[in-house]
């Protein structure tokens, strides 16, 4: 791999490392802040996602080190390096959080898929890691969305542009 290619691959990995560190913290925040009649189901559904996403962060960071880079995992660096906003919902019902999480997963997965498209040429090994993680993230996204659909398959959050709008639509 050329130095220029390795640098680009490391940049893509670092961006997903920020995304996964942000996501597992956000998922714990949701785990702690959901209320309502479906509390225990959603509270317990979230923890395996936290564990999996923490594992993704570890794999991404160690791939950066393998390629000669220095993975950055400090909190300030996440905030500085991310291109998305802080999760915006505090104490709220399970439906509101799941509505907002629908948008969170959409954002995270979209960027993974853009990375996969670019990595096909650059580094198939990192591409494979992105594909494996995207498969799991899409599974979790389905778990979230299954709570937001009616029996006709209509998604309550369809067309929502912000977490707050999605939370309101899912209420
Ligand atoms: Fe807990």
């Amino acid at each position: 791999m050329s130095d220029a290619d390795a640098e680009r691959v490391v940049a893509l990995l670092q961006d997903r490392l920020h995304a996964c560190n942000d996501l597992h913290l956000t998922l714990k925040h949701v785990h702690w802040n959901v209320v309502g009649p479906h509390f225990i189901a959603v509270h317990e559904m979230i923890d395996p996602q936290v564990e999996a996403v923490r594992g993704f962060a570890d794999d991404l960071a160690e791939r950066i080190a393998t390629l000669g880079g220095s993975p950055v995992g400090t909190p300030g660096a996440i905030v500085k390096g991310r291109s998305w906003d802080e999760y915006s919902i505090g104490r709220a019902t399970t439906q509101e959080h799941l509505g907002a999480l629908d948008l969170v997963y959409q954002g995270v997965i979209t960027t993974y898929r853009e990375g996969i498209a670019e990595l096909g040429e650059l580094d198939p090994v990192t591409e494979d890691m992105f594909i494996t993680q995207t498969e799991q993230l899409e599974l979790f996204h389905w778990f979230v969305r299954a709570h937001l659909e009616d029996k006709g398959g209509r998604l309550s959050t369809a067309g929502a542009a912000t977490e707050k709008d999605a939370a309101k639509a899912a209420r």
Side-chain angles (χ1 to χ4, degrees):
M1 199 189 300
S2 72
D3 283 357
D5 282 1
E7 238 172 73
R8 180 60 189 152
V9 174
V10 165
L12 290 168
L13 284 159
Q14 181 61 58
D15 179 68
R16 292 303 79 198
L17 177 57
H18 285 324
C20 285
N21 280 331
D22 190 304
L23 180 59
H24 69 71
L25 292 170
T26 295
L27 287 167
K28 264 297 187 195
H29 167 87
V30 172
H31 171 84
W32 295 321
N33 275 287
V34 285
V35 295
H38 304 294
F39 166 80
I40 200 67
V42 175
H43 177 76
E44 289 186 351
M45 181 183 82
I46 298 290
D47 263 348
Q49 300 186 17
V50 173
E51 285 310 306
V53 175
R54 279 181 59 84
F56 298 165
D58 195 44
D59 291 342
L60 293 161
E62 288 174 5
R63 182 73 185 151
I64 292 172
T66 301
L67 294 174
S70 168
V72 183
T74 48
I78 299 170
V79 174
K80 215 171 148 195
R82 71 185 173 187
S83 54
W84 53 91
D85 294 327
E86 181 110 327
Y87 187 71
S88 57
I89 315 287
R91 181 185 168 91
T93 64
T94 51
Q95 284 306 102
E96 288 170 303
H97 275 294
L98 291 167
L101 277 183
D102 177 26
L103 257 70
V104 170
Y105 272 113
Q106 266 183 63
V108 172
I109 290 165
T110 297
T111 309
Y112 261 95
R113 281 182 165 270
E114 288 166 2
I116 290 165
E118 196 178 337
L119 285 164
E121 293 284 314
L122 283 173
D123 178 20
V125 179
T126 302
E127 180 196 21
D128 186 60
M129 180 179 286
F130 273 41
I131 289 170
T132 302
Q133 297 185 355
T134 301
E135 184 199 349
Q136 285 298 301
L137 292 165
E138 290 183 350
L139 178 77
F140 298 151
H141 194 195
W142 170 53
F143 290 177
V144 167
R145 282 194 155 179
H147 295 78
L148 304 170
E149 279 176 40
D150 63 22
K151 62 183 178 185
R154 205 190 63 88
L155 195 63
S156 61
T157 51
T162 67
E163 287 163 5
K164 291 225 161 85
D165 284 350
K168 201 171 156 195
R171 208 178 276 161

